[in-house]
Amino acid sequence: MPITPEIQTLVNRLNQELDRTEQTAGVNIVREILSLFPDNAIMIQYFATLNNFLFFVEVSRRRIQTLVETISPVYVPVDVIQEAGEDLGTQLGRVLEAKMEVERMLNRLEELR
């Protein structure tokens, strides 16, 4: 059974949100500030947190790909497709939450520049 349009829409949205989060991660901004204040514990924490978000993006992409591969074969039980859809929906919530946190951090960093 091909991937349903609803699940494909969800996968596309997830990938778009992950792309936006990755593009706005702001690691370079933190590096710039860290070069001026290398012992600043808050900037070190921001740098680590933003790198964790980038790692989260990569792990999320792999998870999405695995779920898509799971439901792509010709015959897949309906319960497997439903579970994959639920997992993708949950992942979207996590991605949106991460994106908002990155945006909050970037706003704070921009105020420091």
Side-chain angles (χ1 to χ4, degrees), residues 33-108:
I33 296 171
L34 267 174
S35 69
L36 299 172
F37 307 101
D39 295 327
N40 187 305
I42 293 172
M43 288 301 110
I44 293 169
Q45 180 181 6
Y46 275 27
F47 184 74
T49 301
L50 290 172
N51 276 307
N52 283 339
F53 281 123
L54 291 175
F55 180 68
F56 169 76
V57 166
E58 186 60 34
V59 169
S60 294
R61 282 194 175 114
R62 289 182 186 158
R63 182 180 179 117
I64 293 164
Q65 184 62 37
T66 300
L67 287 169
V68 167
E69 289 171 2
T70 300
I71 60 174
S72 291
V74 175
Y75 175 75
V76 178
V78 174
D79 60 326
V80 172
I81 295 171
Q82 183 176 1
E83 187 176 327
E86 290 171 4
D87 287 348
L88 289 167
T90 300
Q91 190 66 27
L92 179 60
R94 290 181 186 134
V95 167
L96 293 173
E97 190 176 311
K99 180 181 152 193
M100 289 187 307
E101 186 61 33
V102 167
E103 289 171 353
R104 277 193 291 269
M105 288 182 75
L106 287 178
N107 289 336
R108 286 185 233 139

